[in-house]
Amino acid sequence: MSSSLTRAMRPAVRGTRALVSKTTTSTASATLRSSVARPAAARAFTTTSVRAHAQPVDISDLTPTPITHLSETEAAMADAVSKFANEVVLPKARDMDEAESMDPAIVKALFEQGLMGIEIPEEFGGAGMNFTSAIVGIEELARVDPSVSVMVDVHNTLCNTALLNYGSDHLKQKWLPRLATDTVASFCLSEPASGSDAFAMQTKATETADGFSITGGKMWITNSMEADFFIVFANLDPSKGYRGITAFVVEKGTPGFEIAKKEKKLGIKASSTCVITFDDVKIPKENLLGERGHGYKYAISLLNEGRIGIAAQMTGLAWGAFDNAAKYVWNDRKQFGSLIGEFQGMQHQLAQAWTEIAAARALVYNAARKKEAGEDFVKDAAMAKLYASQVAQKVSGQAIEWMGGMGFVREGLAEKFWRDSKIGAIYEGTSNIQLNTIAKLLQKEYTQ
């Protein structure tokens, strides 16, 4: 591990000031020190960001490892985020859900931990880590609170990635340091009549003498209450249909920009989801993101990558629900004089659930590794998101039944995990859209 990467890992492995104990910090630091001493030949290729490679990674000579094997860096990340989630996020998870609001102290702590700039290069103040490290962080956060997890997911896998891949030098210099340290980002694609058919959007952009003007509305926008940076998709040339769609950067507070409504939701209630309106919102020409008319290509690419993040959120959720219930049935809940986890019928359900969680995680990490290696991962991402969302909903529902009355009340987290799980089959591409994607790619492979 290079000294620069060691420095990049420091935010993720140190405890948040005044929030995480000294014991947590020393344990995570020890994990990192052990990774530094390990021979370079033993490292997984994913320790280095794929962006450092001009061509796809040649993995033909690498020694095969288990799909869910983590490099030393990724393992240190998992350990640090797990401690952070349990010591900092967990005590506030129920209160944030009841208040339907993200605690500003949690948002601040996410930045302090380096979790909002995982793939942003060190030169811009980020951690400079790889994509799978982001997946690890998303999964670990979701084991405690999927609302916090999706904030980190959207910020990293959609918004930061969009700026890194398509932003001009001016936009990168201006925004990446802020996105890594103190500014939440939001991704504005969906509209009232443009959900699964994302390119039926009605929001329009018009070129002006000094830049562009945006008029229209967006719906179901994650992070919108906390964000100051918005990536907005609008049609700059409706005569070209979806080929006129273009991406722009819009700052909150720009005249004509308004958060029109905050949705009240079934689950992930601490995560803000809002309606946004644009009334002749004027932005400078340098706020064009990428090339004119390429917005639809960017959206497809970003959502393919983002789906791996949502799949990780769902596996983390399923894992968290299982953890919560398994500890209860094997330690506390008794019926007929025995712990209910000792009954064969219950043990079979637990075994089946754990097997499905493991299968979902294998799909997620396989998709992440293929993405990093520069291989085609579209089908893998769709399969991971589809199955992980199914497993999350099934396992979190079963967990309530395993816990009985204690699973049904709002005192614990069991019912919250179940409510939070439902969104996995809806956002960043519904389950039916994932099935369409998988089937089309299979048909292409099998058509002679």
Side-chain angles (χ1 to χ4, degrees):
M1 183 185 300
S2 68
S3 59
S4 62
L5 186 56
T6 301
R7 290 195 301 273
M9 273 298 296
R10 284 174 185 162
V13 298
R14 68 169 178 261
T16 303
R17 294 191 185 101
L19 293 174
V20 182
S21 68
K22 293 182 180 179
T23 300
T24 297
T25 305
S26 61
T27 300
S29 298
T31 302
L32 185 57
R33 283 195 298 273
S34 68
S35 72
V36 174
R38 189 164 182 172
R43 295 199 306 247
F45 78 91
T46 51
T47 296
T48 302
S49 172
V50 74
R51 290 194 181 89
H53 301 277
Q55 300 295 329
V57 178
D58 182 5
I59 61 175
S60 58
D61 293 329
L62 291 177
T63 302
T65 61
I67 291 173
T68 54
H69 168 78
L70 301 181
S71 69
E72 295 286 358
T73 302
E74 295 158 354
M77 179 76 164
D79 181 66
V81 177
S82 176
K83 289 179 172 65
F84 169 76
N86 281 282
E87 296 183 16
V88 180
V89 178
L90 181 59
K92 297 188 176 186
R94 172 55 68 182
D95 289 341
M96 290 194 298
D97 186 71
E98 296 289 344
E100 301 190 23
S101 178
M102 190 71 65
D103 189 326
I106 293 295
V107 180
K108 182 180 179 182
L110 290 170
F111 281 108
E112 290 176 345
Q113 288 290 302
L115 294 174
M116 301 297 267
I118 298 172
E119 291 187 87
I120 293 178
E122 289 181 78
E123 64 185 282
F124 295 112
M129 296 169 71
N130 62 323
F131 177 71
T132 302
S133 291
I135 294 304
V136 167
I138 291 163
E139 183 179 53
E140 289 294 339
L141 287 170
R143 291 177 66 182
V144 170
D145 191 345
S147 290
V148 175
S149 176
V150 76
M151 168 177 275
V152 172
D153 175 33
V154 169
H155 183 95
N156 280 279
T157 67
L158 295 182
C159 301
N160 289 351
T161 300
L163 200 53
L164 284 165
N165 288 352
Y166 312 118
S168 64
D169 289 340
H170 168 78
L171 287 176
K172 290 179 182 178
Q173 293 289 340
K174 178 179 179 180
W175 285 106
L176 286 177
R178 294 178 60 181
L179 293 175
T181 57
D182 62 13
T183 300
V184 178
S186 185
F187 190 81
C188 304
L189 180 64
S190 296
E191 299 180 4
S194 175
S196 293
D197 184 7
F199 302 139
M201 66 176 59
Q202 300 299 309
T203 299
K204 293 180 173 58
T206 305
E207 191 160 10
T208 65
D210 300 318
F212 304 91
S213 173
I214 300 176
T215 298
K218 297 293 181 179
M219 198 170 189
W220 320 117
I221 305 304
T222 301
N223 290 355
S224 40
M225 289 299 292
E226 297 81 15
D228 286 305
F229 173 93
F230 293 79
I231 294 175
V232 179
F233 292 84
N235 202 319
L236 187 58
D237 188 351
S239 68
K240 294 182 179 179
Y242 69 88
R243 294 182 182 275
I245 295 173
T246 304
F248 303 91
V249 170
V250 178
E251 296 184 52
K252 182 180 283 187
T254 304
F257 176 101
E258 181 182 1
I259 304 289
K261 176 188 177 185
K262 181 181 177 183
E263 303 288 357
K264 296 182 74 66
K265 309 189 298 289
L266 170 70
I268 57 168
K269 295 197 295 185
S271 168
S272 62
T273 304
C274 302
V275 175
I276 301 177
T277 59
F278 304 87
D279 184 8
D280 191 22
V281 175
K282 291 182 171 56
I283 59 173
K285 59 183 178 181
E286 56 264 28
N287 280 27
L288 173 69
L289 182 65
E291 298 182 43
R292 299 163 186 254
H294 284 216
Y296 75 99
K297 294 180 180 178
Y298 301 159
I300 291 171
S301 176
L302 292 164
L303 288 173
N304 283 333
E305 182 171 329
R307 283 166 184 161
I308 306 175
I310 296 300
Q313 181 205 21
M314 290 294 112
T315 58
L317 187 159
W319 194 355
F322 185 95
D323 280 346
N324 186 53
K327 290 173 184 175
Y328 184 62
V329 302
W330 270 318
N331 294 282
D332 299 305
R333 189 183 179 199
K334 290 186 176 182
Q335 294 291 300
F336 308 104
S338 300
L339 290 166
I340 66 166
E342 295 176 354
F343 294 114
Q344 186 182 64
M346 179 63 69
Q347 290 182 336
H348 285 183
Q349 292 180 55
L350 289 159
Q352 180 67 38
W354 185 252
T355 300
E356 292 174 5
I357 292 170
R361 293 189 75 229
L363 285 170
V364 172
Y365 281 89
N366 184 59
R369 298 307 191 194
K370 290 185 73 172
K371 183 266 176 190
E372 286 190 339
E375 297 184 6
D376 184 355
F377 64 91
V378 174
K379 182 173 65 177
D380 302 275
M383 292 190 297
K385 182 183 182 297
L386 171 70
Y387 189 64
S389 64
Q390 292 172 342
V391 170
Q393 191 167 306
K394 177 180 177 181
V395 172
S396 61
Q398 286 180 309
I400 294 174
E401 297 174 19
W402 299 338
M403 296 181 71
M406 288 305 297
F408 197 72
V409 297
R410 283 158 64 173
E411 180 179 335
L413 293 177
E415 60 86 30
K416 179 182 180 298
F417 279 126
W418 180 70
R419 287 188 288 105
D420 289 350
S421 73
K422 190 59 187 177
I423 190 62
I426 301 172
Y427 61 9
E428 291 201 32
T430 65
S431 290
N432 282 335
I433 289 297
Q434 306 315 308
L435 288 167
N436 283 349
T437 298
I438 297 163
K440 287 178 181 178
L441 291 172
L442 285 171
Q443 182 178 7
K444 184 178 179 180
E445 291 176 17
Y446 278 89
T447 298
Q448 297 179 345

